[in-house]
Amino acid sequence: MFEVSPVFYYVIAGYFLMTLVIGYMAGRGNKTSEDHLVAGRSIGPVIGGAALAATQLSAGTFVGTVGVLYLTGASYMWYWPGMFAGWLVSAIWVAPKFQQFKGVTVPDYIEKRYNSKVAKVIAAALIVVAYTVYLVAQYVAGGILMETIFGLPKIWGAIITIGITMLYTMKGGMKATTYSDFIQAIIMAGCFFAAVPILYSQAGGFDYVGRFITELQPTLTGWHWQFKDILGFALAFGLSVAIAPYELARMYTMKSQRTVRLAIGFSFIFQAVIAIAICLVGFAMRSLYPIMNNADAASSIMAVNVLPPFIGALIVVAILAAIMSTVSGVMIVSASAISHDIYGILKPNATDKQKMTINKIATVVLSIIPLIFAIKPFDMVQFIVIVQSSMVASFFFATVVIGLNWKRATGTAALISMLGGVATVLIWYLMQKPFGLNEVIPGVLVSTVLLIVCSYFTKPVPEESLKPFFGK
């Protein structure tokens, strides 16, 4: 633990209070489960774009990516083009059709497009499993942050961060999550970008930092990662972001197809600013602290030891914002998978009030389960995120991207594709990545082949199910 200025406590307490107030105010207008889950389909492009960026830019970015850049250098940044390519795929072939469909959850799309309730339940279950893994990464990051700065045990740091997020998510739903994400995205982009000149003035300037880290370890400014590594990272993030359920759920909240495309454009701007800033932060911190026991603590140490107290406190808030914005989005999607999709199928006559009750119970339960895993030692935060991204891409990329643009894809094939893709990822990962290939490559390849081949040997989907996506 470091000696922290009281400013940190005031700024962080103020931030927590602000998020709770947003949750309370937003929740007052929620009358139905649709209001709670899709914000009344009222979100515009700027707020929607900020929300897309904030949800994507998780602990994996501000804790994990900074840590990996600190440890391995500039070559890791080449995964960003893959992620941006994923956003382009979403903007052109996925997001507008999702908005037009006007469902409530991603498994709603699976059920309607493939005319299969079984596929809907399997999709919902896979979302819950994959996002439980994702929440572990966020909890670990929150624990590291609170431990590094305030000396709290990791488990208590995670409980505080997640507890507050759970409260405003349960009360305010998607509207609270979206509006708090808008503020959080501004905090993230503004604080990290503003920190760069201060950080480099402390480190001796851009030229000095470049020379120092090159002499320290030439691969920091060269190529630490091989091409197949970078390709794996880029595909894991790019393929998953194109169809990420917590991002697709945001498409339902927006006013029109034009709004969706504009929102993705605005999210590009937020993410580009942050990508540049965190790269520069990683280099500067390696120059200032050449040897660090835990690279994931680089952002926290920067906030406390390098920056002025107020700026440092805002950086801590930015990291908390990244964690909380992602956690709230994941909570909404995972809880709705249980209350709307699984419970809705098991009890088709359930009232809206019953579904809302189940949703709140699910939010609490799904918030607690990852804590059990987060207290155990894990790999670096960013690598937990990569495994989760590979899982999501393996069971959703083919069924979403191909399903929205190829009429012949069938329900049975979609079911086989999802299960085959995720099984491949898990087997490949447990086999310790044969040939050095990231698990996302065989996972998406197998799920795509299964969807296409099995579609030719199984019963076509009725035309009625295809109309919302392909017209008459």
Side-chain angles (χ1 to χ4, degrees), residues 300-322:
S300 308
I301 292 171
M302 172 187 72
V304 177
N305 276 9
V306 182
L307 300 173
F310 184 70
I311 301 295
L314 288 177
I315 289 292
V316 173
V317 165
I319 300 169
L320 285 171

Side-chain angles (χ1 to χ4, degrees), residues 19 39 204-205 230 259 264 270 353 388 413-414 431:
T19 58
I230 297 296
T259 300
I264 291 175
F270 282 105
K353 186 176 180 181
Q388 173 272 332
M431 289 173 64

